[in-house]
Amino acid sequence: MKRKKAFWWVTLTGLVVIGIASYVGCTYWSGPNPNELDREQMTEEDYTRALELIDIIKEEDPLGRRQNVTRRINPQETTGLIFDDPKKLNKGNLIDAMHLMTHQKILATEKAGAIPMTHDNLKEVRDYLELLRDKNKIKNDDYLQLGGIIERWEQAIFDEIDKEQDVLLEEMYAAIGFSNGLATRAEEELFILNNFGGEYVYTLDLEPMPEEEEQKEDVNTNTEE
């Protein structure tokens, strides 16, 4: 009798474990879901394109193993960095902004917040980094490390941005959110449409940052001489 009860107890426990595993699997490995699109925030054109992209992603990943492709994650358009308040001037704010800028280009089981990878935002993080150095608010090693990442982004080099995102998370002492690799082109476009809107799709093929006007003038002057 005791053996019979033990058998049923083990069976019941096994079913519970399987049920939990199935729920977690469906939650994190269900692939793109049209119901997660923020329909109210999207234009009709963006919504139609998003549905097309979902079909493309499903063809590329029929088992639905990709994550956070359709979820809207509290996006903002600018870095939100504050330059004129010495009390809020610190390396952590810069790292947080840079981290959110990686989200459109990577996959991760957990993401929270996003900032588009635009020239304006790149200029803001660069200017903030330089201000940190000018105000002695950052160590030289950190300045060089973060400056190197920003420089690659300024040159529109994103082939290791998943690894760079993980470096930023380590600096934040994060326990979750580490990348599962680079987003595909379709995944990135879908993320942009659902979080930022169609006006930001151009960032898929972001051009390298143009030279500063002063640098251009110097070059022209030297050429004339």
Side-chain angles (χ1 to χ4, degrees):
M1 191 68 170
K2 289 183 179 180
R3 288 183 180 179
K4 192 173 183 180
K5 286 184 178 180
F7 170 78
W8 285 111
W9 177 252
V10 171
T11 301
L12 180 61
T13 302
L15 291 173
V16 170
V17 171
I18 291 172
I20 293 173
S22 298
Y23 173 78
V24 172
C26 290
T27 300
Y28 293 107
W29 302 89
S30 57
N33 182 356
N35 294 326
E36 290 183 323
L37 296 176
D38 193 343
R39 184 69 183 87
E40 294 182 0
Q41 299 291 329
M42 302 177 77
T43 65
E44 192 64 35
E45 182 180 359
D46 288 352
Y47 182 69
T48 300
R49 176 57 179 164
L51 294 178
E52 293 174 355
L53 290 166
I54 285 176
D55 289 337
I56 293 172
I57 294 167
K58 286 182 176 179
E59 289 179 4
E60 294 173 343
D61 179 34
L63 297 180
R65 291 177 174 173
R66 312 289 276 180
Q67 319 100 46
N68 257 325
V69 178
T70 43
R71 239 171 286 169
R72 185 175 168 86
I73 55 172
N74 191 29
Q76 60 193 64
E77 292 190 355
T78 63
T79 64
L81 291 170
I82 297 174
F83 290 76
D84 57 359
D85 187 345
K87 294 180 180 179
K88 295 183 179 180
L89 184 64
N90 61 72
K91 182 184 74 170
N93 289 334
L94 173 63
I95 290 175
D96 185 52
M98 291 174 63
H99 163 238
L100 295 184
M101 289 175 68
T102 69
H103 278 172
Q104 77 175 65
K105 294 186 172 293
I106 68 156
L107 288 182
T109 303
E110 294 293 336
K111 289 182 186 177
I115 296 173
M117 185 69 73
T118 65
H119 285 172
D120 286 344
N121 288 333
L122 280 169
K123 185 177 186 307
E124 282 209 0
V125 296
R126 167 61 72 183
D127 290 347
Y128 196 86
L129 175 67
E130 299 303 328
L131 183 60
L132 287 174
R133 183 181 65 169
D134 293 344
K135 299 295 184 180
N136 295 315
K137 295 282 188 176
I138 190 170
K139 295 178 181 179
N140 189 58
D141 288 347
D142 293 331
Y143 172 81
L144 294 174
Q145 181 185 48
L146 296 176
I149 293 174
I150 294 172
E151 183 177 0
R152 286 191 287 276
W153 297 356
E154 289 171 335
Q155 296 173 2
I157 299 173
F158 302 111
D159 56 343
E160 293 190 352
I161 196 169
D162 55 330
K163 299 181 181 65
E164 292 163 348
Q165 190 253 10
D166 288 350
V167 168
L168 296 170
L169 281 178
E170 288 171 357
E171 288 290 327
M172 297 166 65
Y173 300 100
I176 60 174
F178 290 90
S179 75
N180 293 315
L182 298 170
T184 66
R185 185 176 180 84
E187 289 167 345
E188 182 178 351
E189 184 179 352
L190 180 58
F191 183 88
I192 292 170
L193 288 176
N194 199 33
N195 285 278
F196 308 133
E199 64 268 31
Y200 288 97
V201 169
Y202 77 92
T203 60
L204 273 167
D205 300 301
L206 194 69
E207 296 289 331
M209 288 279 285
E211 295 181 9
E212 295 289 342
E213 289 300 322
E214 293 182 1
Q215 293 176 339
K216 290 180 180 179
E217 290 175 4
D218 290 341
V219 171
N220 292 334
T221 302
N222 293 334
T223 302
E224 291 173 2
E225 293 176 353

